[in-house]
Amino acid sequence: MTENDLKTLIEKALDMRNFSYAPYSHFRVGAALQSSDGRIFGGCNVENSSYGAANCAERTAFFKAVSEGVKDFKRIVITGGLEGEPLQYASPCGICRQVMREFCDPDTFEIILARSTEDYKIYTLAQLLPESFGPENLL
């Protein structure tokens, strides 16, 4: 991946934060998921007054992609933070990590936590979800 490709992906995640619906936590998250064929699917967090019906930005992006027939992914960029505050490294929750594990190779799928196009950290899914349970465990 070139530096320009990464910058484009980070910018998409930053832009997706603008669509976040976070009236309760005020923690706005944007995600940009890149498929193996290069397509990019954006997602934002969508809260709900019942809390349990909320959906994270990462899962929104994955579900959007899967609903369009895409099930093979390279990487995801996640951006997040409280409204009006500097962005922080917003790591995916456990449920999002498990959704990633359903569709992604833990050793090659990249999770990029970005505060800007110049300030980011890159992890593999295996680093953030060691000793994971996946589809192959049910075969």
Side-chain angles (χ1 to χ4, degrees):
M1 173 172 54
T2 69
E3 191 171 316
N4 276 344
D5 291 339
L6 179 57
K7 183 178 179 179
T8 298
L9 204 57
I10 292 171
E11 287 172 346
K12 175 68 173 180
L14 290 166
D15 186 50
M16 291 307 301
R17 284 187 75 242
N18 295 322
F19 300 107
S20 172
Y21 179 73
Y24 307 106
S25 72
H26 304 287
F27 195 91
R28 300 168 61 86
V29 182
L33 174 65
Q34 185 178 36
S35 65
S36 294
D37 65 6
R39 287 188 276 174
I40 298 172
F41 298 87
C44 64
N45 59 320
V46 180
E47 294 182 349
N48 188 283
S49 60
S50 71
Y51 293 108
N55 201 51
C56 298
E58 301 92 308
R59 284 183 284 142
T60 298
F62 268 93
F63 297 162
K64 187 186 297 185
V66 171
S67 74
E68 294 182 26
V70 179
K71 297 179 188 133
D72 191 20
F73 305 100
K74 287 183 184 178
R75 63 188 55 89
I76 191 168
V77 172
I78 306 163
T79 61
L82 288 170
E83 291 175 15
E85 298 289 326
L87 292 180
Q88 59 191 55
Y89 296 118
S91 189
C93 75
I95 294 171
C96 288
R97 293 175 198 208
Q98 190 62 45
V99 167
M100 292 174 194
R101 180 62 175 86
E102 183 69 20
F103 297 102
C104 306
D105 180 331
D107 296 318
T108 61
F109 183 72
E110 294 178 330
I111 300 169
I112 302 162
L113 311 180
R115 297 194 307 189
S116 72
T117 57
E118 294 82 30
D119 185 3
Y120 56 87
K121 297 179 180 182
I122 301 175
Y123 300 93
T124 64
L125 179 56
Q127 289 174 300
L128 296 184
L129 190 65
E131 301 299 324
S132 65
F133 184 88
E136 69 280 359
N137 294 108
L138 299 174
L139 300 176

